[in-house]
């Protein structure tokens, strides 16, 4: 039995063989394991291929007759009695790019669509009904994470093995006995043809795409060699059978027409790419063969040798950062969030779940952790979002069509190791908290001890644990590129431009912004009620803010935002003229935006995301380094805002405009990341 949730995309390359193409597509439709999608790459056929596809109901629209670029159209092919149809992507190429160019094109496009498995074959390949199911069974037996490719037994029309499609078997395949898994009716091979070859998208990500400049022949040998030399298993499944309906049972070595050029050149390229020590030996062998070959082939042979010498083909890789995360109609999306916590980060997690459900119609759940079985994990601040929740993901939902997104903190990342098959993503709601959550008790031990004593004696702290110096030490000690938990994820997101810069070596890394709670966005503020008050968050930049307060010598009233409900925060910010924040900005902080939208002038430091104008887009004259020599300038700016508030308020018009547009910007960013696939 195979897992019927394995989504397979077939890539068929065709050129002037319309009847065989139809026979191939009909055999694909009859597979015991249903095929999810097919890419038909038509290499500018001149035999009416597109018209026959239209006649047989595989496509519903003909491509334009004159093409300068590839033309692609998606159709749904539904058979009687079927609940779901098979997607058929018809790609008409403007010119013939050969078999290698066709497989390059189909594999690249299929990967960008987010498909999981790719089954490659020529248009004259007729698979038996259980051919695909047998290949997938082999992947389950050996584990898809180890499999590089699986290939079928290819026979000719008389039932004999097809000479062209015999895979590369030797006693040892990359230091493994070829019959290591023969009890499973599977053999190890070093290379294979593209006539019924199954590969996973993870392999495509690591080894790249077929080399399109091969045009025809040996492109499949090079590609599968590249896979096995990367350490993946090449697997021959003899119980998976396909018929290769060529006119004769022949191999590429028996031809003497213009195709001979590609055969010689491409094999020399293979030696050049993978067996460099033998390359010049093979060059000499081919030179020696020229005078003993038919006279009509001399030029082709010499041309192939020369071209292999002066040109090395380029291996192209998929653009992983450009792929979208596919949410299928049957997918479940889980957003992990700590229970009973109501701060900026958890609210953002709830907002994502809310918009996935209501904008993209995705079946989304909150996944609360750090919660007991019999307690309600939902914070009262987030009940209005109305998002269903779970406290764990069931084993049957731990599959590759579902998605788990966790926050960047250590407790969130630990969830990734609890599930094996679900697609996993990490959302960096901050930069600093990723590192600070990894702090051990021994980290900054002296600073912690002094702060505890000072808190008791002087009711304030001396050391800022989130200082730039401490953060630099943490970054050096806990390198994210070596984080094994992060490597369990297949995609990453960040809510700040700073995050894009810090975590640039993660791929794919998406930017997903954020927006304020609508309670702030929809509140009207009467500016005539504003008072000469400075509001601050005592949990941020406490050491430097205390120095500002002391220097002001009570001529300025400072009011801390602490122990307040959301309504209390709103009322306080509506009264104040100025909000200051000289703490670290671990991500795209909310309180500066809440203050601005409620009519405050905002003054910040330049730590963390505040150093990036895109993250904190206030005028530069309102940003100061948290240095003691800047305190007089900061106090001067505060008093200027008090005296000339009507004018200074207008300095933040653009900032407020950006904040009001954040909900629509969030949805725009979300659509760039997630792609909803209808079935």
């Amino acid at each position: 039995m195979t897992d019927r949730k394995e989504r397979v995309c077939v890539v068929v390359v065709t050129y002037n063989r319309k009847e065989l193409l139809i026979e191939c597509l009909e055999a694909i439709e009859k597979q015991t394991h249903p095929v999810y999608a097919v890419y038909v790459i038509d290499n500018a056929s001149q035999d009416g291929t597109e018209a026959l596809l239209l006649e047989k109901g595989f496509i519903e629209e003909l491509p334009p007759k004159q093409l300068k670029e590839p033309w692609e159209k998606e159709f749904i092919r539904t058979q009687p009695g079927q609940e779901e149809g098979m997607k058929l992507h018809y790609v008409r190429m403007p010119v013939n790019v050969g078999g290698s160019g066709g497989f390059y094109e189909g594999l690249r496009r299929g990967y960008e669509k987010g498909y999981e498995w790719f089954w490659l074959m020529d248009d004259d390949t007729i698979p038996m009904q259980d051919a695909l199911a047998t290949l997938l069974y082999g992947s389950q037996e050996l584990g898809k994470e180890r499999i590089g490719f699986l290939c079928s037994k290819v026979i000719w029309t008389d039932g004999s093995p097809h000479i062209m499609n015999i895979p590369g078997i030797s006693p040892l395949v990359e230091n493994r006995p070829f019959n290591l898994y023969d009890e499973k009716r599977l053999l190890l091979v070093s290379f294979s043809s593209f006539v019924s070859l199954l590969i996973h998208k993870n392999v495509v990500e690591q080894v790249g795409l077929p080399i399109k400049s091969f045009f025809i022949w040996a492109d499949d040998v090079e590609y599968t060699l590249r896979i096995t030399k990367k350490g993946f298993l090449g697997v021959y499944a003899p119980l998976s059978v396909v018929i290769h309906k060529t006119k004769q049972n022949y191999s590429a070595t028996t031809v003497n027409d213009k195709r001979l050029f590609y055969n010689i050149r491409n094999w020399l390229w293979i030696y050049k790419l993978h067996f460099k020590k033998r390359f010049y030996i093979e060059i000499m062998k081919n030179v020696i063969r020229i005078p003993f070959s038919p006279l009509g082939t001399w030029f082709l042979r010499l041309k192939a040798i020369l071209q292999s010498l002066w040109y090395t083909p380029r291996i192209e890789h998929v653009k992983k950062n450009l792929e979208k995360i596919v949410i299928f109609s049957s997918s479940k999306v889980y957003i992990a969030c700590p229970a009973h916590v109501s701060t900026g980060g958890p609210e953002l997690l709830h907002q994502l779940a809310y918009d996935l459900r209501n904008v993209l119609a995705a079946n989304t759940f909150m996944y609360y952790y750090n919660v007991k079985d019999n307690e309600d994990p939902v914070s009262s601040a987030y009940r209005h979002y109305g998002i269903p929740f779970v406290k764990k993901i069931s084993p049957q939902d731990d599959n590759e069509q579902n998605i788990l997104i966790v926050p960047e903190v250590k407790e969130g990342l630990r969830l990734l190791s609890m599930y094996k098959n679900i697609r996993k993503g990490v959302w960096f709601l901050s930069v600093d908290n990723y590192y600070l959550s990894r702090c051990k008790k021994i980290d900054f031990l002296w600073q912690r001890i002094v702060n505890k004593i000072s808190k008791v004696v002087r009711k304030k702290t001396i050391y800022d644990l989130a200082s730039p110096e401490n953060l630099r030490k943490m970054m050096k000690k806990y390198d994210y590129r070596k984080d094994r938990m992060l490597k369990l994820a297949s995609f990453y997101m960040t809510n700040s431009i700073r995050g894009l810069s810090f975590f640039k070596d993660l791929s794919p890394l998406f930017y997903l912004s954020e927006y304020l709670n609508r309670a702030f966005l929809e509140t009207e503020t009467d500016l005539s009620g504003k008072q000469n008050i400075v509001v601050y968050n005592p949990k941020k930049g406490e050491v430097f803010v205390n120095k500002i307060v002391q220097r002001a010598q009570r001529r300025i009233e400072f009011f801390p935002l602490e122990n307040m409900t959301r309504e209390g925060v709103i009322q306080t910010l509506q009264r104040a003229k100025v909000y200051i924040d000289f703490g670290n900005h671990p991500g795209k902080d909310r309180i500066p935006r809440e203050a601005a939208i409620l009519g405050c002038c905002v003054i910040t430091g330049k730590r963390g995301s505040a150093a990036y104008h895109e993250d904190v887009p206030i005028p530069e004259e309102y940003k100061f380094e948290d240095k003691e020599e800047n305190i007089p300038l900061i106090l001067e700016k505060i008093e200027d805002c008090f005296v000339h508030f009507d004018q200074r308020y207008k300095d933040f018009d653009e900032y407020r405009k950006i904040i009001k547009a954040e909900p629509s910007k969030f949805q725009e960013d979300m659509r760039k990341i997630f792609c909803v696939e209808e079935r």
Side-chain angles (χ1 to χ4, degrees):
M1 289 287 293
T2 59
D3 185 351
R4 298 178 73 83
K5 294 177 182 176
E6 301 277 15
R7 296 176 183 268
V8 178
C9 173
V10 184
V11 178
V12 181
V13 179
T14 187
Y15 179 67
N16 287 345
R17 288 194 289 231
K18 59 183 182 180
E19 289 84 6
L20 283 171
L21 173 63
I22 298 300
E23 187 178 355
C24 172
L25 293 175
E26 289 174 345
I28 289 170
E29 286 185 312
K30 295 175 182 176
Q31 291 299 298
T32 56
H33 182 102
V35 168
Y36 183 66
V38 179
Y39 258 96
V40 175
I41 310 298
D42 183 355
N43 265 328
S45 297
Q46 302 299 312
D47 65 343
T49 291
E50 67 274 38
L52 187 58
L53 286 170
L54 181 67
E55 179 187 330
K56 295 293 184 179
F58 285 99
I59 63 175
E60 300 169 9
E61 178 184 342
L62 290 173
K65 291 187 177 181
Q66 301 295 327
L67 293 173
K68 293 183 179 180
E69 300 291 336
W71 182 87
E72 178 178 343
K73 201 79 172 181
E74 178 185 312
F75 306 96
I76 303 295
R77 168 82 168 179
T78 304
Q79 293 292 334
Q82 288 184 345
E83 294 183 3
E84 298 178 325
M86 179 183 75
K87 291 187 177 185
L88 190 137
H89 302 267
Y90 178 57
V91 181
R92 173 81 174 184
M93 303 299 292
V95 295
N96 182 6
V97 294
S100 59
F103 285 117
Y104 164 90
E105 200 71 29
L107 200 53
R108 180 182 64 82
R109 290 171 181 266
Y111 176 86
E112 290 176 356
K113 284 287 184 183
Y115 297 130
E116 180 185 2
W117 286 98
F118 302 96
W119 192 19
L120 280 56
M121 63 184 69
D122 289 330
D123 54 4
D124 54 358
T125 304
I126 314 300
M128 299 294 99
Q129 284 189 325
D130 63 348
L132 175 58
T134 305
L135 292 176
L136 287 170
Y137 174 77
S139 76
Q140 292 174 4
E141 285 290 293
L142 300 184
K144 68 178 67 175
E145 68 280 355
R146 304 173 63 203
I147 295 291
F149 64 83
L150 298 108
C151 59
S152 302
K153 178 181 180 180
V154 184
I155 62 174
W156 194 47
T157 52
D158 64 356
S160 61
H162 203 297
I163 300 172
M164 181 185 289
N165 308 117
I166 296 174
I169 295 181
S170 56
L172 290 177
V173 179
E174 296 297 318
N175 295 318
R176 301 183 184 97
F178 80 98
N179 58 351
L180 185 61
Y181 304 107
D182 59 356
E183 79 280 359
K184 301 179 186 294
R185 309 297 295 272
L186 302 169
L187 298 175
L188 297 182
V189 297
S190 55
F191 61 84
S192 179
S193 73
F194 281 161
V195 177
S196 186
L197 184 87
L198 185 69
I199 58 176
H200 194 268
K201 68 173 185 179
N202 293 339
V203 177
V204 179
E205 289 173 357
Q206 295 196 47
V207 305
L209 297 164
I211 299 176
K212 57 185 177 182
S213 56
F214 269 53
F215 193 74
I216 59 169
W217 288 355
D219 53 325
D220 43 16
V221 174
E222 188 283 324
Y223 192 59
T224 49
L225 266 176
R226 202 191 315 163
I227 292 171
T228 54
K229 291 179 96 42
K230 193 78 173 177
F232 291 106
L233 298 179
V235 179
Y236 173 58
L239 297 184
S240 172
V241 180
V242 302
I243 303 172
H244 194 186
K245 283 195 168 184
T246 55
K247 293 180 180 179
Q248 297 91 27
N249 190 352
Y250 72 101
S251 75
T253 59
T254 61
V255 300
N256 279 316
D257 56 25
K258 63 180 181 180
R259 294 173 295 176
L260 176 67
F261 162 76
Y262 296 108
N263 187 47
I264 295 173
R265 183 201 63 178
N266 294 352
W267 270 101
L268 289 173
W269 273 349
I270 289 172
Y271 284 110
K272 192 174 186 180
L273 289 168
H274 300 292
F275 310 101
K276 293 182 180 180
K277 291 182 179 179
R278 289 186 55 185
F279 173 61
Y280 288 104
I281 295 174
E282 294 300 320
I283 289 285
M284 292 306 301
K285 285 182 179 179
N286 277 278
V287 170
I288 292 170
R289 289 192 189 110
I290 292 177
F292 301 98
S293 305
L295 183 62
T297 67
W298 284 16
F299 174 74
L300 290 175
R301 290 176 181 274
L302 183 60
K303 180 182 176 183
I305 292 168
L306 292 174
Q307 196 168 113
S308 71
L309 283 168
W310 75 60
Y311 178 71
T312 301
R314 186 166 63 94
I315 295 172
E316 294 187 36
H317 290 266
V318 290
K319 296 179 180 179
K320 193 173 179 182
N321 270 334
L322 299 180
E323 74 169 348
K324 288 188 177 183
I325 310 303
V326 178
I327 301 175
F328 301 104
S329 57
S330 55
S331 294
K332 294 179 180 178
V333 182
Y334 299 95
I335 310 295
C337 179
H340 311 301
V341 179
S342 54
T343 57
E347 177 149 34
L348 183 50
L349 294 167
H350 283 80
Q351 288 173 333
L352 174 60
Y354 180 85
D355 282 350
L356 284 173
R357 288 182 67 84
N358 293 280
V359 178
L360 297 185
N363 192 17
T364 308
F365 301 83
M366 296 306 300
Y367 170 20
Y368 292 109
Y369 57 91
N370 293 344
V371 60
K372 296 178 181 179
D373 290 339
N374 59 350
E375 67 177 334
D376 183 357
V378 186
S379 168
S380 59
Y382 307 137
R383 291 191 188 281
H384 67 281
Y385 287 111
I387 304 164
F389 67 86
V390 300
K391 297 178 184 178
K392 61 181 178 180
I393 299 174
S394 64
Q396 58 266 33
D397 285 330
D398 181 17
N399 63 67
E400 290 196 348
Q401 74 174 14
N402 295 334
I403 298 172
L404 168 63
I405 298 173
V406 304
E408 80 288 1
V409 293
K410 191 173 183 179
E411 287 186 330
L413 293 178
R414 282 175 177 164
L415 300 176
L416 299 179
S417 62
M418 295 171 57
Y419 304 99
K420 182 178 180 182
N421 298 310
I422 197 168
R423 289 178 286 162
K424 303 162 189 172
V426 176
W427 195 3
F428 289 92
L429 305 178
S430 72
V431 173
D432 302 32
N433 291 343
Y434 166 75
Y435 293 103
L436 293 175
S437 69
R438 278 151 187 74
C439 270
K440 299 174 182 177
K441 290 183 178 180
I442 196 172
D443 290 323
F444 315 123
L445 180 60
W446 173 248
Q447 294 182 19
R448 293 172 189 269
I449 293 172
V450 171
N451 276 352
K452 283 190 176 182
I453 297 172
S454 178
K455 198 75 174 176
V456 173
V457 177
R458 304 173 62 187
K459 304 208 181 293
K460 62 181 181 180
T461 59
I462 294 176
Y463 291 107
D464 183 356
L465 296 181
S467 68
E469 295 78 14
N470 285 354
L471 183 60
R472 281 193 290 270
K473 291 176 182 178
M474 292 292 291
M475 290 174 59
K476 187 175 181 180
K477 184 174 182 179
Y478 302 106
D479 188 345
Y480 76 88
R481 289 165 293 192
K482 299 177 182 178
D483 189 335
R484 293 183 179 180
M485 290 191 291
L486 276 183
K487 291 179 180 179
L488 295 174
S490 58
F491 67 95
Y492 309 89
M493 303 184 297
T494 178
N495 72 331
S496 66
I497 300 301
R498 182 188 182 217
L500 287 177
S501 175
F502 263 73
F503 301 112
K504 60 184 178 181
D505 291 326
L506 295 176
S507 179
L509 177 63
F510 300 100
Y511 176 73
L512 180 59
S513 56
E514 59 172 276
Y515 60 93
L516 294 182
N517 186 289
R518 295 192 183 277
F520 290 92
L521 294 174
E522 296 171 359
T523 298
E524 295 292 332
T525 298
D526 181 6
L527 298 182
S528 64
K530 287 286 186 178
Q531 302 174 26
N532 291 341
I533 298 173
V534 177
V535 176
Y536 67 98
N537 180 358
K539 294 181 181 179
K540 294 189 63 182
E542 180 184 5
V543 175
F544 188 69
V545 170
N546 285 337
K547 293 178 181 179
I548 295 175
V549 174
Q550 290 173 0
R551 190 76 66 90
Q553 296 179 345
R554 298 185 179 182
R555 71 177 187 270
I556 297 174
E557 182 181 355
F558 291 86
F559 196 92
L561 290 174
E562 58 183 350
N563 302 321
M564 292 183 184
T565 63
R566 176 175 291 157
E567 291 72 23
V569 171
I570 291 175
Q571 292 172 8
T572 302
L573 290 174
Q574 284 184 306
R575 289 192 301 118
K577 286 185 178 179
V578 176
Y579 171 79
I580 63 171
D581 186 340
F582 287 93
N584 202 41
H585 291 242
K588 192 175 179 181
D589 283 15
R590 289 186 169 229
I591 299 184
R593 288 177 290 144
E594 293 170 353
I597 208 69
L598 295 175
C600 294
C601 297
V602 178
I603 301 173
T604 73
K606 294 185 178 182
R607 287 167 55 180
S609 293
Y612 295 77
H613 180 74
E614 298 90 341
D615 291 335
V616 185
I618 63 175
E620 282 300 311
E621 64 184 280
Y622 291 89
K623 290 184 179 182
F624 299 87
E625 296 280 357
D626 52 338
K627 298 178 180 179
E628 289 202 35
E629 58 263 33
N630 286 332
I631 291 178
L633 297 175
I634 295 169
L635 294 173
E636 183 181 320
K637 177 58 71 175
I638 291 172
E639 291 176 334
D640 179 49
C641 291
F642 285 170
V643 175
H644 305 100
F645 180 73
D646 290 344
Q647 290 80 23
R648 299 298 169 259
Y649 170 84
K650 295 177 182 178
D651 290 343
F652 296 87
D653 284 350
E654 184 64 26
Y655 189 31
R656 285 187 290 271
K657 182 179 178 182
I658 293 171
I659 295 167
K660 290 177 180 178
E662 284 178 341
S664 58
K665 178 67 167 62
F666 182 86
Q667 293 179 9
E668 179 186 338
D669 292 339
M670 186 176 66
R671 292 178 191 277
K672 291 177 182 178
I673 298 170
F674 299 100
C675 169
V676 178
E677 283 282 331
E678 298 292 342
R679 285 203 67 180

